[in-house]
Amino acid sequence: MSASEKAKAVAEQAGGKVKKEAGRAVGNESAAAEGAATESKGDLRGAKEKTKDAFKH
């Protein structure tokens, strides 16, 4: 996994988790849903990079 893509994946996961939890804490379901979507996007980016790495070796 390239370092920049890994960093993007981790940043998306962390940012999404923060937004999701903050949205839940204040009762804003829209923000919580956006955060969950961003977190999932980061998960998918990480999985994609791991798959690419698996086929390189």
Side-chain angles (χ1 to χ4, degrees), residues 8-20 35 38-39 42-43:
K8 286 179 188 178
V10 171
E12 282 180 338
Q13 290 166 340
K17 187 172 204 84
V18 168
K19 188 170 186 174
K20 178 177 71 175
T38 302
E39 187 177 10
D43 291 341

Side-chain angles (χ1 to χ4, degrees), residues 12-35:
E12 282 180 338
Q13 290 166 340
K17 187 172 204 84
V18 168
K19 188 170 186 174
K20 178 177 71 175
E21 296 304 323
R24 286 183 179 167
V26 298
N28 186 338
E29 290 300 316
S30 177
E34 285 180 29

Side-chain angles (χ1 to χ4, degrees), residues 30-56:
S30 177
E34 285 180 29
T38 302
E39 187 177 10
S40 294
K41 184 178 174 185
D43 291 341
L44 289 172
R45 183 187 300 270
K48 177 186 85 172
E49 290 302 314
K50 286 180 182 178
T51 302
K52 285 174 31 180
D53 284 348
F55 283 105
K56 287 181 182 178

